[in-house]
Amino acid sequence: MKLYTTLNIIRQHNPCKDSWEKALKLLGKTKPDDDPLSFEWILDNMGVCDATGWIQAVRDEDRVDVERDARLFACDCAESVLDNFESEHPQDGRVRECINVSRLFARGETNDEARSAAYSAAWSAARSAANSAADSAAYSAAWSAARSAADVAAWSAAYSSARSAADVAAYSAARSAGRSAADSAADSAAWSAAYSSEREKQSDIFRKYFCD
């Protein structure tokens, strides 16, 4: 769906000062108004972090659809780094199942009890990954991937799940690429490149749900 908001609606949700001032400047405005503002513009000009952070700032008539799509967006973000977990724990299906159940929940095809069980299983998988080798980059990435899946099944609002899953997935990708390099400079470059690449993937996912 091509989703719209307004500056007045965004303002009601207390955006961070820097992002708010940047948006006003880019739009050539000095105060909020009720002119339609597309999330496509927000994504292209403000980036996926602000776009996911502002996804709660929608019209009341769009809220049900946006809550569903925000959860589906979170599921896609978590799934994009699922390999980080399954490469280290190939026999453990808890994280994949958590994402699957979360998708069903978003579509109204399962209940709170199943979502709660999936959440608990994904967090258990995350703890298992963390306890396996605390200093290992691979296991750190595996933990992040499992936590990302847990976040999409959490009891928090769909909007929080979307932002949290996207953030954790990006760090999971970066951890997977980093710390395996030969020196700190190479590690930093690999980390940054992987993080940026994951954010680009998330931009494409966001566009699919909220800009088409």
Side-chain angles (χ1 to χ4, degrees):
M1 62 182 296
K2 190 156 188 177
L3 187 65
Y4 290 85
T5 185
T6 70
L7 287 175
N8 272 325
I9 296 174
I10 293 172
R11 188 60 171 168
Q12 292 170 13
H13 292 272
N14 300 313
C16 77
K17 181 180 178 182
D18 289 345
S19 294
W20 176 251
E21 291 179 350
K22 177 182 176 181
L24 287 178
K25 183 177 180 180
L26 289 173
L27 290 165
K29 297 182 178 182
T30 58
K31 61 182 180 179
D33 56 32
D34 292 317
D35 291 344
L37 180 64
S38 73
F39 272 86
E40 182 176 27
W41 184 92
I42 295 170
L43 178 65
D44 290 342
N45 290 275
M46 304 297 295
V48 70
C49 293
D50 282 324
T52 54
W54 291 2
I55 198 64
Q56 61 183 319
V58 295
R59 300 171 298 184
D60 288 341
E61 59 266 33
D62 293 328
R63 194 161 297 280
V64 172
D65 288 339
V66 172
E67 287 183 357
R68 177 200 63 219
D69 289 347
R71 290 197 181 279
L72 293 174
F73 166 81
C75 289
D76 287 2
C77 289
E79 189 173 58
S80 72
V81 292
L82 183 58
D83 284 349
N84 291 343
F85 180 82
E86 293 186 337
S87 63
E88 296 299 322
H89 301 274
Q91 305 303 317
D92 193 335
R94 290 175 293 180
V95 174
R96 182 176 293 275
E97 179 62 15
C98 177
I99 296 171
N100 291 338
V101 170
S102 298
R103 281 203 177 96
L104 292 174
F105 183 86
R107 295 170 178 146
E109 297 171 4
T110 191
N111 56 29
D112 282 338
E113 184 177 358
R115 183 174 67 151
S116 178
Y119 169 78
S120 297
W123 263 115
S124 179
R127 287 192 293 270
S128 296
N131 291 335
S132 296
D135 294 328
S136 163
Y139 280 107
S140 179
W143 180 88
S144 294
R147 183 196 152 181
S148 181
D151 282 349
V152 308
W155 296 103
S156 59
Y159 317 111
S160 299
S161 296
R163 181 66 181 266
S164 178
D167 288 348
V168 175
Y171 283 110
S172 177
R175 283 174 174 147
S176 182
R179 293 182 59 186
S180 59
D183 54 53
S184 59
D187 169 70
S188 178
W191 199 101
S192 179
Y195 181 88
S196 297
S197 177
E198 194 62 29
R199 287 303 195 185
E200 289 177 9
K201 291 180 187 176
Q202 292 172 2
S203 294
D204 292 338
I205 297 169
F206 189 94
R207 194 177 303 279
K208 176 180 71 174
Y209 285 112
F210 304 111
C211 304
D212 291 342

